[in-house]
Amino acid sequence: MAVKIRLARRGRKKAAIYDIIVADSRSPRDGKFIEKLGTYNPNTNPASINFDQDKAFQWMMNGAQPTDTVKAMLSYTGVLYRRHLQIGVIKGAISQETADARLEEWKKEKEAKIEGKRQGLVSDKEAKRRAALEAETKVKEARAEAIRQRETEKAAANAPAEEATEEAPEAAAEGGESTEEQA
């Protein structure tokens, strides 16, 4: 019986979440399985991979074959590297202590990379938010300036009309006086 470590889909439409399972290679994707190892959520950034690494390692050592996607996840989390080191221990190439030390060193480096990526994503998001806020502020100021200019143009247009209406009665009054003086 060929055993595979693969993904089984669940979740709603266009928001899939996957279970990492161990199943007979002949069983359907979402059908019967031997054991559930964990979950994989590709909808988060970075993707969330939560599974029992010890069980996955044990299944790998017993001959279970991962699919390409699961193999990438196992490599990302260090299970394949652990298997590689353990095979070296079994062959006598290195000691168990050396293998454990190398694995711990690798995990520390990997955690630093993952944390760096998370911090980079947060800082990029913050920078984009600030840029959008600055752009919005510039647009707001431009609109306010345009409104001020429109108001001053209206005031300027209304001012000569008011001056003309004020000058017309004065001219009429002056004109009236001059006609009375003539008579």
Side-chain angles (χ1 to χ4, degrees):
M1 176 171 88
V3 177
K4 291 267 188 185
I5 301 174
R6 64 182 182 195
L7 299 176
R9 189 182 194 281
R10 64 183 175 92
R12 62 186 170 85
K13 184 177 177 181
K14 296 188 179 182
I17 296 175
Y18 297 91
D19 289 329
I20 301 170
I21 61 168
V22 177
D24 181 8
S25 63
R26 298 169 290 184
S27 66
R29 178 190 73 178
D30 299 334
K32 185 177 173 184
F33 60 89
I34 299 170
E35 184 177 8
K36 178 180 173 183
L37 299 178
T39 60
Y40 165 61
N41 185 358
N43 301 317
T44 61
N45 192 3
S48 302
I49 303 170
N50 300 316
F51 66 96
D52 188 351
Q53 294 182 9
D54 293 330
K55 284 185 181 180
F57 173 74
Q58 193 61 41
W59 278 104
M60 292 285 295
M61 293 302 291
N62 289 335
Q65 296 297 313
T67 60
D68 292 338
T69 307
V70 174
K71 189 174 185 176
M73 286 184 233
L74 295 174
S75 175
Y76 180 78
T77 56
V79 174
L80 289 183
Y81 187 59
R82 181 178 170 193
R83 179 176 169 263
H84 170 75
L85 292 173
Q86 190 62 37
I87 289 173
V89 169
I90 291 170
K91 289 182 177 180
I94 58 173
S95 67
Q96 185 67 44
E97 294 80 25
T98 307
D100 292 341
R102 287 183 185 174
L103 182 64
E104 287 303 314
E105 180 183 331
W106 183 88
K107 283 186 177 184
K108 287 179 185 175
E109 290 174 10
K110 188 67 170 183
E111 275 299 315
K113 285 182 184 178
I114 292 170
E115 191 59 34
K117 181 178 180 181
R118 285 186 184 134
Q119 294 298 326
L121 289 171
V122 168
S123 64
D124 288 347
K125 187 176 181 180
E126 184 67 24
K128 286 179 183 178
R129 188 186 68 78
R130 284 185 184 151
L133 185 61
E134 289 173 7
E136 186 177 326
T137 303
K138 288 179 183 177
V139 168
K140 183 180 173 183
E141 289 173 358
R143 284 183 184 159
E145 184 62 30
I147 291 171
R148 272 189 239 116
Q149 294 231 345
R150 223 177 298 135
E151 292 296 326
T152 56
E153 289 173 3
K154 281 183 182 179
N158 289 340
E162 290 174 3
E163 291 174 9
T165 54
E166 291 175 4
E167 291 175 4
E170 292 174 7
E174 290 174 6
E177 294 173 6
S178 60
T179 52
E180 291 175 6
E181 294 172 2
Q182 293 173 356

